[in-house]
Amino acid sequence: MLKQFSIILSIYFLGELFQKALELPVPGNILGMLILFFGLLTGVIKLEMIDRISDFLLDNLAFFFLPAGVSLITCFALLEGKWTAILGVSIISTVIILGVTGLTVEFVKKILQRKLIDTAFLGKETGKGEINKKEIQVHERIQTHERAQAHERVQVRERNTKKVS
């Protein structure tokens, strides 16, 4: 796990180095995340090389926010009278993040669904998402049938629950 941590830390320092050397307006840790992203995307860095330390860091993420929370408490006098603005910005940014995340998930689901349809009906990935209307209709019928079966199972469970009650 020490090797995985050293990989993450090296990438972080590389991002900081780029930021200082090129005098970029982007923080070094953001550049480090971009380097890590493109390293994973291109296969230079394999997921297995950093998976355990990544899981550890994500599992303990809340712990890393404690110093920031304590800092806010120590600066409570500075925040006095600005709670409306802070609350407004928090709510607006949360709504924007939820919207962008939802749109991104829908976009990725469409891309993955096209690949799934290509693989299922054509037996291979074309990479172009090219399928004809008949294949789409067949896929939609399958989805409708699966939804109907799921709905029927829920109704049976509800009936069984009412019988027990």
Side-chain angles (χ1 to χ4, degrees):
M1 195 146 103
L2 187 59
K3 181 180 177 185
Q4 293 185 6
F5 186 69
S6 64
I7 292 171
I8 296 285
L9 205 56
S10 299
I11 292 170
Y12 165 75
F13 282 128
L14 188 61
E16 288 290 331
L17 181 70
F18 280 163
Q19 193 270 331
K20 298 284 187 213
L22 302 175
E23 297 179 4
L24 298 171
V26 180
N29 56 350
I30 302 296
L31 291 174
M33 282 192 280
L34 289 173
I35 293 168
L36 178 61
F37 172 74
F38 287 114
L40 287 167
L41 189 66
T42 59
V44 173
I45 300 170
K46 304 287 184 219
L47 187 58
E48 297 81 30
M49 295 168 67
I50 58 168
D51 62 346
R52 288 180 49 216
I53 191 66
S54 299
D55 289 340
F56 171 78
L57 292 171
L58 288 172
D59 288 343
N60 297 295
L61 191 62
F63 175 75
F64 299 119
F65 282 101
L66 284 176
V70 170
S71 296
L72 279 176
I73 291 171
T74 60
C75 300
F76 194 70
L78 291 172
L79 299 175
E80 211 171 321
K82 299 176 183 169
W83 288 107
T84 308
I86 292 171
L87 189 62
V89 167
S90 297
I91 290 171
I92 291 170
S93 62
T94 300
V95 169
I96 291 171
I97 289 169
L98 285 172
V100 169
T101 302
L103 292 172
T104 304
V105 167
E106 289 297 319
F107 177 71
V108 170
K109 281 175 68 175
K110 285 181 183 176
I111 290 173
L112 291 177
Q113 188 174 21
R114 283 187 186 149
K115 284 186 178 183
L116 179 66
I117 291 172
D118 284 352
T119 304
F121 289 108
L122 303 177
K124 60 180 180 174
E125 288 189 34
T126 62
K128 300 177 184 175
E130 295 177 359
I131 52 176
N132 63 35
K133 290 182 181 181
K134 189 173 184 177
E135 291 170 344
I136 292 174
Q137 289 172 345
V138 169
H139 182 70
E140 287 174 351
R141 280 190 214 129
I142 292 170
Q143 282 185 332
T144 304
H145 181 67
E146 289 173 351
R147 283 190 205 117
Q149 286 178 335
H151 182 68
E152 187 176 320
R153 285 192 300 267
V154 169
Q155 286 180 336
V156 168
R157 284 188 196 133
E158 287 176 355
R159 277 187 241 129
N160 291 339
T161 305
K162 288 178 183 178
K163 287 178 185 177
V164 173
S165 300

